[in-house]
Amino acid sequence: MSTLYIVATPIGNLSDISPRALEILKGVDLILCEDTRVTKKLLDHYNIKTPTLSYHQHSKIKKVNYILDQLKKGKNLALVSDAGTPGISDPGNKLIESILTKFNFVRIVPVPGPSAVTAVASVSGFPMDKFIFMGFPPVKKKRKKFFQEIINSKHPVIFYESPHRIIKSLRDLQGTNTKLTRKIVVARELTKKFETIYRGTIEEVIEKIEKDKIKGEFVIVLEEKR
Ligand code: SAM
């Protein structure tokens, strides 16, 4: 039986990868990537020569058939995304769904590791025995409802945001209740050179982020409603 390993990769610091993940990336016949250029940096760093192939849910039938062929021949494959755990707010989830229907004879094996969700949860200082993860805020439709759900949550809520939208999203979060004095943690560039963890009320954190250069990747945790 062929195996497809779902391999978590670093969210910044290239040393954040398990020996098992490296062994698997070295040992498989082919690595399916969200973007082969991004994964190549990791593979070059560890001198891994395994062939790579970009693969996403809209990949042409020819490519899907090629992968199917490899699996039918008993080859083992790995799936990685650009960063972190495949399937957590990246194209990996749709892909795994389609693999389960197209290649249902394959054994799917997780190789766990970093994710921005668990990284920020570990440093938040909030009670994280229960929390909600909401992914990215919608850009237009259902945006207000998204932030209202966060504000009303009885558990801390984690969500992702891009540098272009971080201030707007924090303002929208604040805007749903102008007296909101709850604590927030905004983590920027976790595990990277310019890692910064902002803590305070939403207003205080917006001020701090605006003073710095608004660059990099952001993950946010809002304290629960009491
Ligand atoms: N699959 C990934 C994971 O397991 O974390 C998430 C992929 S999602 C497309 C990318 C988003 O994750 C970024 O826009 C950012 O919100 C968050 N993220 C990824 N790496 C991060 C980092 N080093 N620091 C802060 N946030 C990060």
Side-chain angles (χ1 to χ4, degrees):
M1 196 191 230
S2 297
T3 301
L4 174 70
Y5 296 95
I6 312 299
V7 182
T9 57
I11 57 168
N13 189 320
L14 291 184
S15 298
D16 288 338
I17 186 159
S18 71
R20 179 176 172 232
L22 290 175
E23 246 169 60
I24 285 168
L25 293 177
K26 258 185 207 148
V28 291
D29 299 289
L30 180 66
I31 303 171
L32 305 179
C33 309
E34 183 178 352
D35 183 335
T36 52
R37 290 161 303 181
V38 175
T39 303
K40 199 168 179 321
K41 283 183 203 151
L42 175 73
L43 299 182
D44 285 350
H45 183 81
Y46 286 104
N47 200 21
I48 295 173
K49 309 278 186 212
T50 310
T52 57
L53 185 70
S54 74
Y55 183 59
H56 47 83
Q57 84 222 71
H58 304 298
S59 283
K60 298 231 164 72
I61 187 76
K62 206 171 145 194
K63 202 179 257 185
V64 175
N65 284 340
Y66 172 75
I67 295 168
L68 196 57
D69 247 27
Q70 299 300 303
L71 291 168
K72 278 185 179 158
K73 279 183 192 154
K75 307 250 174 179
N76 294 324
L77 271 56
L79 170 74
V80 297
S81 51
D82 285 354
T85 301
I88 309 296
S89 284
D90 63 30
N93 50 17
K94 285 265 176 352
L95 184 59
I96 293 158
E97 198 185 319
S98 83
I99 284 168
L100 285 172
T101 43
K102 288 189 187 103
F103 316 133
N104 60 359
F105 55 93
V106 173
R107 190 167 68 115
I108 303 220
V109 174
V111 184
S115 179
V117 185
T118 45
V120 79
S122 72
V123 294
S124 75
F126 301 146
M128 300 306 284
D129 43 335
K130 283 185 189 170
F131 69 88
I132 294 173
F133 174 58
M134 300 271 289
F136 286 95
V139 175
K140 283 188 186 138
K141 240 175 131 194
K142 302 200 176 143
R143 188 170 165 85
K144 206 169 164 188
K145 192 168 162 249
F146 178 93
F147 288 116
Q148 246 148 21
E149 210 176 318
I150 295 182
I151 295 289
N152 291 328
S153 172
K154 297 259 187 258
H155 306 296
V157 181
I158 301 182
F159 65 99
Y160 286 163
E161 194 46 286
S162 70
H164 321 287
R165 306 190 61 84
I166 182 71
I167 295 294
K168 179 165 174 32
S169 282
L170 292 178
R171 284 199 204 293
D172 286 352
L173 189 63
Q174 174 75 301
T176 54
N177 181 347
T178 46
K179 289 198 190 85
L180 206 70
T181 52
R182 240 182 282 165
K183 286 190 211 129
I184 195 166
V185 174
V186 178
R188 180 178 79 118
E189 295 284 82
L190 284 171
T191 78
K192 300 185 198 176
K193 190 175 171 193
F194 296 106
E195 176 181 275
T196 319
I197 300 176
Y198 302 95
R199 298 173 193 270
T201 62
I202 301 179
E203 212 49 62
E204 288 164 353
V205 166
I206 290 177
E207 210 174 292
K208 288 179 199 168
I209 297 176
E210 279 183 329
K211 264 192 206 146
D212 289 349
K213 277 193 187 136
I214 305 172
K215 257 181 151 181
E217 302 194 273
F218 291 85
V219 55
I220 302 99
V221 197
L222 183 73
E223 187 182 32
E224 73 280 8
K225 183 180 184 177
R226 287 164 206 241

